[in-house]
Amino acid sequence: MKAATVVLRGEPQRNGSGRWLCLLTAALLALTPGVAMAGPDEDLFKKADEALNKADMDTAIAALTELTTKHTASTYLNQAKYKLGYAHFLKGGFAEAMKILTPLTDPKFPDPGIRESATLLLAQTLGRAGEAEKDAKIKNTYFDQAIQTLNNFIRDYSKSENLDAAYYSRAVALMFRGLFDDSLKAVDDYQQRFKTGQQFQDSEFLRASILAAKAASLTKEGKKDEAHAVRSQARDKFIQLMQRPGVDVAVANEAALRAAQLFMDSKQYDDAIMFFRLVRPKADVIVSQEAKVKELNDGLARMITQFARMGGINAPPVIRYRERMMQEQAKLEGIKKEQDYSVSAALGIAVCYMA
C-alpha cells in the first residue's frame, strides 16, 4: 500500500532560533552610557531596543521604520537600519530584511562594525529565505549566495567575535544546498576551531541531520548499500545525542522530527517510527525552554558584576550574553506559537503503518 502524503515541517522556522545563529555586536545592542535620551529619534531608538529585548518585533519594526524614514539626520540612523533588518529577519520577513541589509554591506559603507554585522546577518537571511522558498532553482540560488557571503565574511573578518556563527552557518547552508560532504567538513572545521562555542551541541545534531539527509539522497539515487551505511551512522548519532544528560529538548525535538521525516521519505519506516516516538510534547519543550531563559536571566546580574571594570552591562561579554538571552526568549515565544510536533509525529507514525 502506498503511503499517504503527510506534511511535516522538515525545518521548523522559529523566530531567531533553529540552525541559523544571529549575533549582534556590542555597539548595536547597548546605548552609549551617559547619553541623555532626549529627542524623538532617541526615544524611538530606545523603544525599539526595549521591544527587541522582549521579542516584540512588530513594535520594534514600527519604531525603527519611523526613525529611519523621518529622522534621516539622526546619529542613530545606521544602527537603526541594521536593527530594522534584524527585526524583519527575526519575524521572517526575509525579502524586506535583505533589501535593508544589502546597502549596509557595501565596502564603502562608513561604519565598519555595522558593515561586518550586516554581512553576517545578510548571509543568514539568504539561508532562511532559501529554506522558505518553494521553487528549487530560486532556493539553490539563495543558498549559493549565502555560502558565498559566508566565505567572504570568514575571509574578510577573520578576527570577528562572530566568526563562530559564520562557520556554523556555512555548514548549515551547505547541508540545505545538498553538498553533504562539504557540509560535514564544515562541521569539522567549526568543532575544531570553536570547542567551547555556544552552538557546539547544536553542531552535533547538525552532523546527524546531515548524515540523515545524505542517506535519503543516496536512497533516491539507488545507492542502497551506501545509503544503508550512512543511515546507520545517522541513527546511531541521533540516539547517542538524545540520551545525553542535559540535552536541549527543543533542539532534540527538531532533530528527531527531521530525522523521522527523512527516513519516512526514503521508505525506512521502522527507523522513521523510532524517531517519531522520540518527539516530545509541546508542553515539555516549553517547560525546558522556560527553565533555560530563567537560568540566563538569573545569571545576568552575576555577569554584570563579573565584568564591572569593563563597563558592566555595556561590557562586550555582557552584551553577547544579553544577545543570547534575547535569542532564547525569541525561541521561547516561537515555540509557544508553533504547532505541537508530537501531533505531527503521531500522524507520521500512522502514515508509516499504512505504508
Side-chain angles (χ1 to χ4, degrees), residues 141-182:
T141 297
Y142 278 136
F143 288 136
D144 288 339
Q145 291 174 345
I147 293 164
Q148 184 59 55
T149 304
L150 289 163
N151 285 336
N152 292 343
F153 184 93
I154 291 168
R155 179 196 65 204
D156 296 339
Y157 301 103
S158 59
K159 304 298 182 184
S160 172
E161 290 184 352
N162 297 329
L163 194 61
D164 57 338
Y167 270 85
Y168 182 87
S169 296
R170 182 170 63 177
V172 174
L174 288 165
M175 177 187 71
F176 283 118
R177 185 60 177 87
L179 302 173
F180 303 120
D181 291 338
D182 289 341

Side-chain angles (χ1 to χ4, degrees), residues 236-257:
D236 293 346
K237 187 68 175 176
F238 272 119
I239 294 172
Q240 174 195 5
L241 292 171
M242 289 174 183
Q243 292 176 343
R244 282 185 181 177
V247 66
D248 186 317
V249 175
V251 173
N253 240 32
E254 292 176 8
L257 191 64

Side-chain angles (χ1 to χ4, degrees), residues 232-277:
S232 296
Q233 292 179 47
R235 182 182 61 245
D236 293 346
K237 187 68 175 176
F238 272 119
I239 294 172
Q240 174 195 5
L241 292 171
M242 289 174 183
Q243 292 176 343
R244 282 185 181 177
V247 66
D248 186 317
V249 175
V251 173
N253 240 32
E254 292 176 8
L257 191 64
R258 167 167 283 277
Q261 179 72 74
L262 287 167
F263 286 127
M264 185 171 72
D265 289 347
S266 60
K267 301 186 186 328
Q268 303 299 317
Y269 299 116
D270 289 342
D271 287 333
I273 289 170
M274 179 188 71
F275 282 105
F276 278 132
R277 285 176 172 163

Side-chain angles (χ1 to χ4, degrees), residues 26 30 303-304 307-321:
M303 288 287 291
I304 293 171
F307 294 98
R309 293 184 178 181
M310 294 175 60
I313 196 168
N314 293 313
V318 180
I319 294 299
R320 286 175 64 85
Y321 187 88

